[in-house]
Amino acid sequence: MDIKLSNRSDVPIYEQLKNEIIRLIMTGALRPGDPLLSMRKLAKELSISIITTKRAYQDLEAAGYVYSVVGKGTYVSEQNNENRREQLLIEVEKKLEELLSTAKKIDLSTEELVEMMKVMEEDQ
Amino acid sequence: MGKQLYLNLFQSKWIWYLGISTILINLLMALSLSDYRGSLMPFINVLNVIAVVYTTSAYLNIHYMLKSDDSHYFYFSLPNTKRNIIRGDYIYYMVMMVLTAAIFGSYMAITQETYYLYGFMMLMGVSLIVMSLYYLGYGKYWLRYLSTGYVIYGVPMLMTLLFHFMPLVNVNQLDRRMPGMDFYLYELPIYTLAVGIVLFIISYAITQRNITKHDMV
Amino acid sequence: MDAVTVKGLDKNMGRFRLKDVNLNIRKGYITGLIGENGSGKSTLIHHMLALKKQDGGRISILDKDLEMEREELLNRIGLVFAEDRFPQNISPKRLNGLLTIYYNNWHADTFFAYLERFNVDAISKVKFLSTGEKVKLSIAIALSHEAELLILDEPTSNLDPTFRMELLDILQTLMIDEDVTILFSTHITTDLEKVADYIVMIDDGEVLFDMDKDVLFESYRKVKGDRQIVDDAGELLIGTTINALGFEAMTKEPQALDELYGRKVLIENLTIDEMMYFIKKGKRGVDNG
């Protein structure tokens, strides 16, 4: 599992972890039925706390990305990948709408917004 | 009980070496027909006194060792119940008494005088009393107030050495017809020993009861 | 089941008191115990080992009464003490013999393997070892008898950074077993920031909080801004410190502050040290510069 977490980001670690795993699933690096590392092993690999990985795994399971089998571990669910992508696209659209309306309040132009996005991306 | 006993024996091995060497030296002296016996006796006497001091104060010496490097934090955190620790300590004391008896016995083999038996009983009686008194406070204070323990031990034992043991040994120079002398020298030790044993048992019972109520460190 | 349950612990030690301490150390997780020197961390730990006896309250370990099952429980607890409370006149090799008798599940092979890995000489007496080596010895002992509860009392203060990382690695590897619980008392908080699941803070003999670390640092944030805001925002700020550049404080309501003051305040993440600082400050009253 190729996961990169940043200590300096404003995004909480468990949130980053979730996003990374979703990314791996979306890009096919993790395929349906693949086992994820156990919570505890992952915590050790990433040098984070167990409770953080636990929360990430629980959220992922609630959202349907993974499922867990008692005594065996956590596995990637059958994804309806197109459906997933659709869902996430809709989320991105919603957030863009929010973003644009907030930006409008302080007269921030779209170009300035794009600049800001580029800078943030570099930081990540 | 076994764990604590082992620990005590382990920590007091130098006292064992001293005790056993003394016994062996005594026995050697007893068997030797050499002319040098007379001139060696003062050294033998000193050796025996030192050995007996160590064996009768062994319980204090072990506590001192525990306290001096704060290792009691470590040793008391090893798996054991507090009652077993006390039990081990009391049994250890009895083992030390046996060692002391062996030292006396081997010394008596040199001198062939049986009156040393009375000296032994008196010393053991007093030793039992002071040890019991020390442990009565132990349940509450554990290893604090060790110096008090040494004083409780040292003063009575020294008194006994000076005012009972020495007269006993020099009995020929004393006026045995002094009233009460026979009682003092030959009967008092038996009573003292009896009192000591009773106190030992009572002290054990009380200490066991109170042992879980106070800080160990 | 909790690994350690402390209920209503009271202890009067003259100048210092533990007051009504209630605490649960959760099984299978790493709990960090933080607090200044003298706050009561070590005393609390001594109570958990029945080395000290409480005036009031109860302690149970792995759901068993501590005093009654002391021998069995101490078998299952691995303890790392400060190095100056350790037998000096004995060699690790001799200690091994002793510990074989004391512990039900002592593994001499594991013990000597750790000693070798840590580069600690098994033959010299402890008094000839360096401070760091003594701590490593203590750690080796704690890891060699199948302990389910590891209690580490300031283990890293005298360790070089490389070994500290190695220790954290060892601890996290142990945690892969769900039955292992670790209680880590330290004032080197950077160790805890990464790996602790729960954080307990003790100050002046009282437990200030006992929380999930993630939740703790999501709820509490650092806030910086202009001085004028302090009077207005008063109650939302904890441990306010005023300096030439403005003010700094801790807050439980970062969203409220963000809504009220927008760009006039900067909301940042706290470190454990900063949190402790602001909490102590808050107890003493607001600093008006």
Side-chain angles (χ1 to χ4, degrees):
Chain A
M1 286 167 77
D2 182 21
I3 295 181
K4 290 177 189 54
L5 302 176
S6 162
N7 272 327
R8 266 168 284 137
S9 166
D10 265 345
V11 179
I13 298 266
Y14 89 95
E15 194 71 56
Q16 290 182 43
L17 180 55
K18 262 174 31 187
N19 293 341
E20 282 289 286
I21 294 180
I22 292 177
R23 179 180 63 80
L24 290 174
I25 294 177
M26 289 286 110
T27 58
L30 283 174
R31 286 182 313 239
D34 280 351
L36 296 178
L37 275 180
S38 79
M39 282 185 320
R40 288 164 180 270
K41 288 209 181 108
L42 187 61
K44 177 185 181 298
E45 291 300 313
L46 299 173
S47 288
I48 57 180
S49 68
I50 293 167
I51 219 165
T52 304
T53 55
K54 186 173 174 186
R55 176 176 291 135
Y57 276 29
Q58 280 175 344
D59 281 4
L60 287 171
E61 192 172 359
Y65 287 96
V66 304
Y67 65 95
S68 58
V69 180
V70 177
K72 291 189 86 185
T74 311
Y75 301 86
V76 179
S77 314
E78 284 296 330
Q79 306 290 323
N80 191 335
N81 270 5
E82 266 179 37
N83 217 339
R84 281 279 163 215
R85 221 190 125 93
E86 283 278 322
Q87 282 178 12
L88 285 175
L89 265 172
I90 294 175
E91 243 191 87
V92 170
E93 270 180 36
K94 256 203 319 213
K95 296 215 168 135
L96 275 177
E97 275 175 29
E98 268 181 54
L99 192 56
L100 285 171
S101 83
T102 315
K104 214 164 157 196
K105 292 185 197 160
I106 47 172
D107 253 347
L108 205 60
S109 76
T110 315
E111 289 82 36
E112 283 169 310
L113 264 179
V114 173
E115 268 309 305
M116 284 172 72
M117 275 173 65
K118 286 194 183 153
V119 171
M120 277 184 74
E121 192 185 26
E122 272 172 32
D123 277 347
Q124 275 188 7
Chain B
M1 162 212 93
K3 291 176 176 177
Q4 184 64 18
L5 180 58
Y6 177 83
L7 180 64
N8 287 340
L9 292 172
F10 180 89
Q11 293 210 299
S12 58
K13 51 182 200 252
W14 292 106
I15 300 182
W16 275 97
Y17 296 160
L18 178 61
I20 292 182
S21 314
T22 306
I23 293 172
L24 289 174
I25 291 174
N26 285 348
L27 290 176
L28 269 173
M29 277 298 286
L31 295 171
S32 133
L33 300 163
S34 147
D35 290 325
Y36 291 104
R37 269 180 82 157
S39 51
L40 281 174
M41 276 318 279
F43 299 108
I44 302 286
N45 290 336
V46 169
L47 177 64
N48 276 272
V49 169
I50 294 175
V52 169
V53 166
Y54 269 103
T55 57
T56 52
S57 65
Y59 62 98
L60 284 170
N61 292 331
I62 290 183
H63 287 176
Y64 177 77
M65 280 194 274
L66 284 179
K67 195 78 203 291
S68 62
D69 55 8
D70 272 344
S71 56
H72 58 304
Y73 281 89
F74 174 80
Y75 285 116
F76 288 158
S77 68
L78 294 178
N80 213 350
T81 62
K82 292 171 181 171
R83 294 183 137 229
N84 280 343
I85 291 177
I86 297 303
R87 197 169 295 156
D89 272 6
Y90 274 73
I91 293 182
Y92 173 75
Y93 178 84
M94 292 196 282
V95 169
M96 279 298 151
M97 269 185 69
V98 171
L99 183 59
T100 313
I103 295 175
F104 260 95
S106 63
Y107 186 80
M108 278 163 65
I110 303 176
T111 63
Q112 305 283 340
E113 303 276 17
T114 53
Y115 58 73
Y116 281 102
L117 202 55
Y118 299 103
F120 169 73
M121 281 196 279
M122 191 63 171
L123 277 168
M124 276 295 102
V126 172
S127 174
L128 275 164
I129 293 172
V130 302
M131 182 267 189
S132 305
L133 289 175
Y134 170 73
Y135 269 92
L136 274 173
Y138 190 70
K140 193 166 179 198
Y141 300 109
W142 282 84
L143 299 180
R144 305 188 271 288
Y145 307 117
L146 259 185
S147 23
T148 311
Y150 274 107
V151 169
I152 298 178
Y153 165 84
V155 171
M157 290 297 273
L158 187 61
M159 295 284 148
T160 310
L161 180 71
L162 293 174
F163 299 118
H164 185 272
F165 194 77
M166 298 309 290
L168 180 70
V169 169
N170 297 313
V171 76
N172 293 320
Q173 279 105 347
L174 288 178
D175 183 359
R176 284 185 67 178
R177 259 158 284 275
M178 264 176 71
M181 204 47 151
D182 276 1
F183 172 82
Y184 176 73
L185 288 179
Y186 304 112
E187 284 184 58
L188 188 60
I190 300 174
Y191 296 130
T192 311
L193 186 58
V195 167
I197 292 174
V198 168
L199 212 53
F200 185 76
I201 295 172
I202 295 176
S203 165
Y204 177 75
I206 294 181
T207 308
Q208 281 282 33
R209 235 198 12 206
N210 289 333
I211 205 59
T212 55
K213 297 182 188 164
H214 301 286
D215 291 349
M216 290 169 93
V217 300
Chain C
M1 194 211 290
D2 282 331
V4 181
T5 311
V6 177
K7 280 209 186 84
L9 175 59
D10 281 313
K11 177 72 172 176
N12 192 339
M13 293 177 6
R15 276 174 309 149
F16 176 78
R17 290 182 58 198
L18 284 178
K19 305 181 254 291
D20 192 33
V21 172
N22 289 287
L23 192 52
N24 293 311
I25 308 290
R26 291 145 189 93
K27 190 162 175 337
Y29 294 100
I30 299 182
T31 299
L33 184 58
I34 59 174
E36 297 182 324
N37 286 332
S39 53
K41 303 196 301 283
S42 285
T43 308
L44 183 57
I45 287 178
H46 293 157
H47 278 92
M48 291 179 189
L49 303 164
L51 286 176
K52 280 201 149 73
K53 185 72 184 178
Q54 65 270 25
D55 295 330
R58 271 194 71 226
I59 300 183
S60 51
I61 308 240
L62 299 164
D63 268 359
K64 293 178 192 262
D65 182 75
L66 176 58
E67 196 69 63
M68 302 206 59
E69 316 255 5
R70 186 177 195 268
E71 186 170 6
E72 191 209 316
L73 289 173
L74 285 178
N75 255 305
R76 296 158 78 181
I77 299 179
L79 175 61
V80 178
F81 263 149
E83 76 296 346
D84 58 351
R85 286 171 174 173
F86 203 80
Q88 302 293 320
N89 272 309
I90 189 174
S91 68
K93 190 155 179 265
R94 284 303 184 100
L95 262 177
N96 176 67
L98 191 66
L99 296 171
T100 311
I101 294 189
Y102 266 94
Y103 285 109
N104 292 340
N105 297 310
W106 180 257
H107 295 285
D109 43 0
T110 311
F111 178 60
F112 286 116
Y114 273 121
L115 287 183
E116 197 173 320
R117 174 175 168 180
F118 298 160
N119 240 317
V120 175
D121 180 11
I123 319 259
S124 3
K125 288 192 176 177
V126 171
K127 61 184 171 193
F128 297 124
L129 298 175
S130 72
T131 311
E133 285 170 331
K134 290 180 192 177
V135 178
K136 291 177 187 179
L137 170 59
S138 193
I139 292 170
I141 293 175
L143 299 177
S144 302
H145 62 268
E146 294 180 22
E148 290 162 57
L149 170 60
L150 280 170
I151 300 183
L152 304 121
D153 190 359
E154 301 279 356
T156 51
S157 326
N158 284 304
L159 296 177
D160 53 77
T162 344
F163 187 76
R164 268 175 42 211
M165 284 179 60
E166 190 180 346
L167 176 60
L168 285 182
D169 193 70
I170 292 175
L171 294 179
Q172 285 208 290
T173 308
L174 288 170
M175 292 302 293
I176 293 178
D177 176 352
E178 289 183 14
D179 283 328
V180 174
T181 308
I182 296 181
L183 176 61
F184 202 130
S185 167
T186 180
H187 57 263
I188 302 195
T189 52
T190 41
D191 291 342
L192 294 178
E193 255 148 25
K194 289 192 316 178
V195 306
D197 297 302
Y198 293 91
I199 308 257
V200 175
M201 180 172 174
I202 293 198
D203 189 52
D204 227 358
E206 285 178 279
V207 172
L208 293 186
F209 59 76
D210 167 12
M211 282 177 77
D212 177 327
K213 185 193 69 185
D214 287 345
V215 170
L216 186 62
F217 288 102
E218 277 156 36
S219 315
Y220 290 90
R221 302 299 206 89
K222 183 166 78 176
V223 57
K224 298 200 252 201
D226 298 328
R227 286 181 82 128
Q228 304 94 302
I229 298 183
V230 174
D231 302 312
D232 197 46
E235 285 134 42
L236 295 173
L237 305 175
I238 303 170
T240 315
T241 311
I242 300 191
N243 56 38
L245 302 169
F247 83 92
E248 276 189 11
M250 183 170 85
T251 180
K252 207 178 172 189
E253 321 269 358
Q255 313 91 318
L257 284 171
D258 188 50
E259 272 162 42
L260 286 171
Y261 303 105
R263 285 196 151 188
K264 291 203 196 137
V265 291
L266 184 60
I267 311 265
E268 289 179 340
N269 287 331
L270 280 167
T271 63
I272 296 182
D273 280 341
E274 286 171 332
M275 175 175 276
M276 284 173 65
Y277 169 77
F278 285 123
I279 290 181
K280 291 266 348 174
K281 203 99 206 292
K283 281 174 101 180
R284 263 182 258 136
V286 170
D287 174 0
N288 282 310

